[in-house]
């Protein structure tokens, strides 16, 4: 069964629910998003899970975690969610695999007392429970600390209620050593035997060494072939540490010369805002939601045999224009699309309600790779009206 919640639900997921008879739990959020007739009441969902504890659940948003914690405490789900959502607990879990990795949890109200000279530099600081690169900051030297600390305080004071505490909680922060290497994100699930089944792999590309944003994620036959076996085996090791079964995850890692180092593992979902799974369906011709909920395994050799020379990208149209959201009257989406080789889907958002203009899926040929570099670095100023 599927839980849908704010901030976004794609038409593709709602159509998947209807076409494959995968019921959506009839919560107030589901009714707000127009879940349709293929629903199951909250009471019936609870009773079904009580009688069938191995039922597979998918959530579109971590906003649904609060409902699960409140109504499904009799299952193992809240405990498994907490292991992954709480970054400090997850780092403790990972100690057997990464014994030398440095991290430290710091309460927000103790940031002023932190002795920066005792922490290996450079480091990253971020909310212990977080999402979407919100509140993530890199500290390169001790002279950066006062400015970063002031920014964190301002962000906490200005934080609205877009995301509940189960998704973004700024009461405590985690400090981690900088992880060198290329960053990847992938969607996967643990099957009934605890085996890790990979459904997509994305290379998270950055514009510079100091970039910590989420602008672009790319997938291709080459990216998947180079990482599939290693990521499957690595995720299987994590599953063994917490006995994961019938459980979907969205994972972010960095590959070093000798290790795969996790950034975070997001429970009970794939990429947020129905992004990575929907793009995987467009790129590779199978439905990741159905594959997880119906226990199917992709035949990657067959799938990738017809995808040579193509890169599929998910682009977050973030506001890096230098203007505040309130100052921007409109964004010229049509002009942006005309510049691209093959846009697949555009999802417009109200930039005054969210800090981004929308999401874009695109296909790029190997001969036009310069398009990816432009998209990664553009500030979008030519597309806005003040």
């Amino acid at each position: 069964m599927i839980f849908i919640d704010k901030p976004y639900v794609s038409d593709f997921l709602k159509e998947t629910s209807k076409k494959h008879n995968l019921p959506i739990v009839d919560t107030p959020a589901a009714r707000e998003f127009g879940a349709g007739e293929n629903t199951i009441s909250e009471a019936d969902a609870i009773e079904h899970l009580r009688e069938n504890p191995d039922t597979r659940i998918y959530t579109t948003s971590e906003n649904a975690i609060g409902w699960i914690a409140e109504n499904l405490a009799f299952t193992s789900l809240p405990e498994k969610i907490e292991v992954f959502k709480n970054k400090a607990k997850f780092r403790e879990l990972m100690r057997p695999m990464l014994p030398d990795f440095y991290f430290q949890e710091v309460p927000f109200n103790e940031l002023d007392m932190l002795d920066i000279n005792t922490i290996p530099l450079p480091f990253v600081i971020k909310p212990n429970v977080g999402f979407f690169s919100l509140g993530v900051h890199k500290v390169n030297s001790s002279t950066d600390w006062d400015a970063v600390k002031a920014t964190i305080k301002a962000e906490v004071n200005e934080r609205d209620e877009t995301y509940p505490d189960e998704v973004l909680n700024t009461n405590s922060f985690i400090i981690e050593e900088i992880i060198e290497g290329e960053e990847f994100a992938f969607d996967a699930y643990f099957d009934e035997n605890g085996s890790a089944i990979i459904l997509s792999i994305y290379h998270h590309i950055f514009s510079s060494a100091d970039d910590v944003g989420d602008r672009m994620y790319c997938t291709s036959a080459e990216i998947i072939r180079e990482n599939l076996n290693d990521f499957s085996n690595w995720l299987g090791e994590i599953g063994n540490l917490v006995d994961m079964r019938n459980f979907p995850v969205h994972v972010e890692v960095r590959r070093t010369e000798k290790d795969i180092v996790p950034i975070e593992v997001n429970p009970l979902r794939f990429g947020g805002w129905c992004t990575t799974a929907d793009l995987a369906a467009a790129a590779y011709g199978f439905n990741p939601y159905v594959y997880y909920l119906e226990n199917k395994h992709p035949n990657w050799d067959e799938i990738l045999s017809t995808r040579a020379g193509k890169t599929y990208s998910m682009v977050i149209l973030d506001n890096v224009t230098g203007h505040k959201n309130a100052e921007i009257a409109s964004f010229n989406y049509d002009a942006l699309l005309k510049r691209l080789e093959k846009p697949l889907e555009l999802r417009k958002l109200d930039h005054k309600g969210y800090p981004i203009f929308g999401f874009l899926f695109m296909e790029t040929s190997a001969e036009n790779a310069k398009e990816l570099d432009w998209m990664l670095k553009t500030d979008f100023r030519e597309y806005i009206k003040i």
Side-chain angles (χ1 to χ4, degrees):
M1 65 182 68
I2 301 171
F3 288 83
I4 64 177
D5 212 316
K6 296 178 179 179
Y8 182 85
V9 180
S10 69
D11 289 339
F12 178 71
L13 179 59
K14 287 188 283 187
E15 292 165 2
T16 295
S17 166
K18 181 178 180 180
K19 180 178 179 180
H20 296 272
N21 193 28
L22 301 169
I24 294 173
V25 181
D26 191 24
T27 61
R31 292 190 289 275
E32 182 178 341
F33 278 107
E37 299 179 356
N38 187 35
T39 58
I40 181 173
S41 72
E42 294 177 82
D44 287 345
I46 293 169
E47 186 59 28
H48 180 83
L49 287 162
R50 194 182 299 275
E51 296 177 357
N52 303 274
D54 290 333
T55 297
R56 296 192 178 189
I57 288 176
Y58 181 81
T59 67
T60 63
S61 164
E62 294 184 7
N63 289 15
I65 289 175
W67 190 98
I68 292 170
E70 180 179 350
N71 295 282
L72 302 180
F74 59 87
T75 72
S76 62
L77 290 174
E79 179 182 359
K80 291 177 178 177
I81 290 169
E82 175 69 7
V83 167
F84 290 136
K85 277 303 296 177
N86 186 304
K87 292 181 175 63
K89 289 186 176 180
F90 181 61
R91 288 297 180 206
E92 288 291 347
L93 173 73
M94 292 294 298
R95 278 196 189 277
M97 296 172 66
L98 295 166
D100 299 324
F101 185 83
Y102 177 87
F103 70 94
Q104 176 184 355
E105 184 178 3
V106 182
F108 170 71
N109 58 14
E110 295 181 13
L111 287 178
D112 285 329
M113 295 176 275
L114 189 67
D115 184 357
I116 194 70
N117 296 313
T118 65
I119 301 173
L121 290 165
F123 65 80
V124 168
I125 182 168
K126 52 191 173 182
N128 192 34
V129 176
F131 173 68
F132 203 46
S133 291
L134 297 171
V136 178
H137 298 279
K138 185 177 181 180
V139 179
N140 291 304
S141 66
S142 57
T143 56
D144 294 342
W145 177 236
D146 285 341
V148 169
K149 188 167 57 175
T151 300
I152 290 173
K153 290 179 179 179
E155 289 173 343
V156 170
N157 290 334
E158 295 173 2
R159 183 198 160 193
D160 60 24
E161 298 305 317
T162 300
Y163 302 104
D165 285 346
E166 291 85 3
V167 178
L168 175 64
N169 189 323
T170 53
N171 290 331
S172 78
F173 285 74
I174 185 169
I175 291 172
E176 300 178 339
E177 68 176 79
I178 295 293
I179 308 168
E180 302 296 341
E182 295 297 308
E183 183 171 320
F184 295 86
F186 59 94
D187 295 332
Y189 73 88
F190 299 96
D191 67 14
E192 70 281 5
N193 299 315
S195 299
I197 310 302
I198 304 291
L199 298 174
S200 66
I201 300 174
Y202 292 87
H203 185 191
H204 185 184
I205 304 175
F206 296 94
S207 61
S208 70
D210 293 325
D211 184 9
V212 294
D214 283 324
R215 167 70 65 88
M216 181 180 289
Y217 292 80
C218 299
T219 185
S220 66
E222 182 180 14
I223 288 169
I224 290 180
R225 287 194 180 107
E226 289 180 351
N227 296 283
L228 182 62
N229 290 336
D230 290 343
F231 287 173
S232 297
N233 295 335
W234 176 86
L235 188 60
E237 289 186 57
I238 293 180
N240 291 335
L241 293 175
V242 284
D243 190 27
M244 300 298 295
R245 299 173 190 274
N246 303 308
F247 197 93
V249 287
H250 176 72
V251 185
E252 298 175 16
V253 301
R254 278 191 184 268
R255 293 207 69 159
T256 69
E257 291 184 0
K258 62 177 182 176
D259 292 314
I260 297 171
V261 183
I263 300 169
E264 60 186 25
V265 178
N266 299 282
L268 284 183
R269 67 170 176 88
F270 302 141
W273 295 72
C274 297
T275 50
T276 52
D278 286 27
L279 178 54
Y284 298 122
F286 71 93
N287 190 319
Y289 304 113
V290 173
Y291 270 47
Y292 158 59
L293 291 165
E294 295 187 355
N295 197 38
K296 297 180 179 180
H297 298 193
N299 183 338
W300 281 115
D301 287 338
E302 179 179 330
I303 292 168
L304 299 181
S305 64
T306 58
R307 267 71 180 183
K310 298 178 181 179
T311 298
Y312 304 92
S313 304
M314 185 271 285
V315 181
I316 297 176
L317 305 177
D318 49 347
N319 183 8
V320 291
T321 63
H323 296 277
K324 295 181 179 179
N325 290 324
E327 299 173 340
I328 300 174
S330 62
F331 187 96
N332 192 337
Y333 298 98
D334 290 339
L336 175 63
L337 294 180
K338 288 178 182 178
R339 194 192 191 286
L340 303 177
E341 176 184 356
K342 189 175 180 180
L344 300 176
E345 182 178 348
L346 171 67
R347 297 174 176 178
K348 302 177 183 179
L349 291 175
D350 178 7
H351 64 275
K352 295 182 180 179
Y354 297 100
I356 55 178
F357 300 109
F359 292 88
L360 174 69
F361 298 165
M362 52 190 275
E363 178 184 319
T364 309
S365 61
E367 298 76 17
N368 194 30
K370 62 182 183 297
E371 177 178 275
L372 298 175
D373 185 64
W374 175 85
M375 179 60 82
L376 180 64
K377 296 178 180 178
T378 182
D379 58 18
F380 296 125
R381 289 181 186 176
E382 62 187 292
Y383 301 107
I384 64 169
K385 182 178 180 181
I386 303 301

